[in-house]
Amino acid sequence: MNPPSSTAVSKGETGQPVDPSLPRAYPATEGPRPARDPGFVLVVNAGSSSVKFGLFDFQTLQPSARALLDWGGSSQRATLTITPCTTGEHDSNSSKPTRCELDAPDYRTAVARGLELLCGTASGLHGDRSVRVVGHRLIHGGEEIRQPVFIDATMKQTIRRFLHLAPLHIPAGLEAIEATEAALPGVPQVGLFDTAFFAHIPPCAYLYPVPYEWYTDWGIRRFGFHGTSHAYCTLRAHEMLGRGPKGVRLVICHLGQGSSATAVAEGVAVTNTMGFTPLEGFMMGTRSGTVDPGIILYVQREKGLTVEQVDEILHHRSGLLGISGLSSDFRRVEQAAQQGHERSRLALEVYAYRVRTMIGALAVTLGGLDALVFTGGIGENSSWLRSEACRGLECLGVYLDAEKNLMTRPDDDVAKADSPARVLLIHTREDLMIAREARRLVLESNTA
Ligand code: ADP
């Protein structure tokens, strides 16, 4: 474990721009475009109970097909749903999906079979084309992995070292990598790590005020998550603002089933609201987000809850579900609140209050705000949440246009025309970000 470097940022306290000699986790542009290449980039996003695949044209990065492999609670069978995409268009223009049942004696076999079927279907639809590179979404790269990387045997060993930090996701990611090796032998594989976008957050933001040895001996520090989404939104916000990263300060709120916000200065993440684990920060669908750690001691000592019970409650029975007592789904809770369900109204109030206070804290960390970005299912779709979250932020130059805000259309700007800070709705594209970076690494390695 390396002690925190005081040279990591020029003005850590204020979160102002990082040392320009440090490499960015992701470059400011899409990278080179190949002149003509008839292959695919395959994106694999492996979760513990489902795997999402995306197949992109290598040259244009337009999606060719998407697929979902879902165990649906079974240990022996999985369903593969393949949705071809109309060439030259994005998500909304997908054709009719096809579904098939697969034998799934183990995770790796099911993923390999799913890959073969997806690539076969896509080749049939788009001509016989091969996969040029596979990009994997991986959750945790610890302090070591700070860039997208090629995956080889040594890298797999390195990833294994972070298993204790993401015990559900890392085994799934490694299995998916090995399934890809079996299904597509010889095809280069690239890993993108959610934590990598936060490689440059300063010590004042990542150290917890606990004994310093917890950090040096046990590696306890804040990491940050949802990095691939925050990286995509950073690049897209720069595009929408029509300004390069120079001088641009962003607060990005990714509000989905899991939620986090990131402060970004000049294209580099300064801090994220999630911490050592994705439990810190915003209140979420079923996760509590930040709570007084004294509560956790109290309920164990005084109320007799076990570690396992507290773990289960904070991860699966808190957040929107915990307060509303009804649902973890924001839309459902919103509907119930409109129909007079008091605890749903309360849950939404707490949710919005926490988003607003966090935006304020992050904006002050940056010394001001050029754009506030909303993404994720809730951020993109709930005009109520956006208007509540922006209430009082006029002091930071955020003036939401109430009418525009009602017409939810990512990617759009819903700030008043004369608002000093813009308010951007962005449809996050983690899969595209992974495809872009995987292609960039392959092209750069070919020209090296
Ligand atoms: P995940 O984190 O699983 O990717 P999403 O980003 O898809 O999740 O976000 C899911 C959340 O978005 C759910 O709580 C859902 O209710 C909410 N959501 C989706 N559409 C709407 C909508 N039109 N209005 C309010 N909330 C919505």
Side-chain angles (χ1 to χ4, degrees):
M1 178 68 51
N2 297 322
S5 147
S6 57
T7 58
V9 288
S10 51
K11 292 178 192 165
E13 226 71 30
T14 63
Q16 286 303 299
V18 297
D19 179 346
S21 65
L22 289 171
R24 286 168 196 275
Y26 300 103
T29 62
E30 193 172 296
R33 246 190 186 217
R36 197 168 168 279
D37 194 309
F40 290 125
V41 183
L42 171 66
V43 172
V44 181
N45 185 347
S48 51
S49 60
S50 70
V51 184
K52 290 181 194 152
F53 304 100
L55 210 48
F56 294 80
D57 183 281
F58 189 81
Q59 191 186 357
T60 63
L61 290 184
Q62 294 293 341
S64 297
R66 298 181 191 290
L68 176 70
L69 183 66
D70 195 341
W71 277 259
S74 161
S75 58
Q76 294 298 315
R77 313 256 326 142
T79 306
L80 179 72
T81 309
I82 300 178
T83 311
C85 304
T86 316
T87 310
E89 292 161 349
H90 282 280
D91 316 65
S92 51
N93 293 287
S94 301
S95 314
K96 216 168 162 254
T98 56
R99 266 192 196 88
C100 62
E101 291 270 310
L102 300 180
D103 277 334
D106 56 68
Y107 190 93
R108 194 183 304 182
T109 312
V111 176
R113 187 78 193 107
L115 276 176
E116 284 160 4
L117 284 168
L118 170 64
C119 294
T121 306
S123 286
L125 286 166
H126 300 278
D128 199 8
R129 298 153 68 177
S130 60
V131 173
R132 291 283 316 278
V133 60
V134 182
H136 291 271
R137 178 180 178 208
L138 298 160
I139 301 296
H140 221 302
E143 285 195 312
E144 245 162 275
I145 307 179
R146 301 157 79 93
Q147 299 277 328
V149 291
F150 278 114
I151 296 168
D152 56 13
T154 315
M155 185 50 67
K156 281 194 280 182
Q157 285 301 338
T158 307
I159 297 169
R160 250 180 220 110
R161 290 218 310 276
F162 308 124
L163 217 142
H164 62 290
L165 293 172
L168 289 181
H169 284 102
I170 287 183
L174 286 166
E175 289 282 307
I177 288 167
E178 297 194 337
T180 311
E181 281 169 3
L184 301 167
V187 176
Q189 301 195 60
V190 167
L192 265 85
F193 296 79
D194 268 20
T195 47
F197 188 55
F198 308 107
H200 302 305
I201 65 175
C204 64
Y206 74 66
L207 279 179
Y208 288 106
V210 290
Y212 190 63
E213 292 72 25
W214 284 24
Y215 170 64
T216 51
D217 298 353
W218 295 343
I220 293 177
R221 55 159 284 176
R222 307 183 68 251
F223 288 102
F225 295 89
H226 287 143
T228 310
S229 170
H230 288 293
Y232 173 81
C233 289
T234 298
L235 300 185
R236 186 75 187 105
H238 292 159
E239 264 173 29
M240 289 171 70
L241 294 171
R243 292 169 66 183
K246 194 148 180 42
V248 175
R249 298 156 303 175
L250 306 171
V251 169
I252 301 169
C253 296
H254 176 119
L255 306 174
Q257 199 50 29
S259 301
S260 70
T262 299
V264 183
E266 305 209 333
V268 179
V270 170
T271 192
N272 175 259
T273 54
M274 284 179 164
F276 180 61
T277 73
L279 194 54
E280 190 177 343
F282 288 145
M283 159 181 169
M284 307 179 215
T286 61
R287 279 175 262 172
S288 62
T290 298
V291 294
D292 175 357
I295 297 171
I296 296 159
L297 303 176
Y298 175 82
V299 294
Q300 290 182 82
R301 196 182 290 129
E302 301 292 328
K303 301 295 170 190
L305 297 189
T306 63
V307 172
E308 289 71 26
Q309 284 171 323
V310 176
D311 183 327
E312 153 72 13
I313 292 166
L314 295 182
H315 281 95
H316 303 294
R317 290 202 271 140
S318 299
L320 284 172
L321 176 65
I323 296 186
S324 74
L326 193 74
S327 175
S328 61
D329 186 276
F330 195 91
R331 195 170 4 185
R332 263 204 78 198
V333 177
E334 245 187 349
Q335 283 160 356
Q338 280 158 9
Q339 288 156 10
H341 190 263
E342 184 54 22
R343 274 178 57 183
S344 290
R345 192 193 58 74
L346 214 54
L348 295 179
E349 254 183 39
V350 178
Y351 190 102
Y353 174 79
R354 290 190 155 220
V355 173
R356 191 186 317 135
T357 52
M358 218 74 99
I359 293 171
L362 294 189
V364 171
T365 304
L366 292 167
L369 202 56
D370 296 291
L372 173 62
V373 176
F374 287 102
T375 190
I378 301 166
E380 290 171 37
N381 294 303
S382 174
S383 50
W384 177 86
L385 183 275
R386 288 193 302 269
S387 74
E388 279 300 296
C390 291
R391 205 152 50 82
L393 295 186
E394 293 82 4
C395 63
L396 294 168
V398 178
Y399 291 84
L400 190 71
D401 185 311
E403 255 177 60
K404 275 196 215 161
N405 182 45
L406 287 176
M407 302 182 302
T408 308
R409 264 181 319 166
D411 295 358
D412 217 343
D413 180 344
V414 293
K416 284 187 177 164
D418 57 354
S419 173
R422 310 317 303 163
V423 181
L424 308 177
L425 312 193
I426 296 181
H427 177 55
T428 195
R429 296 289 312 278
E430 287 159 305
D431 54 354
L432 178 61
M433 189 74 209
I434 296 168
R436 236 184 228 175
E437 286 300 294
R439 184 181 77 171
R440 184 176 63 81
L441 252 66
V442 162
L443 291 174
E444 285 176 0
S445 74
N446 286 348
T447 54

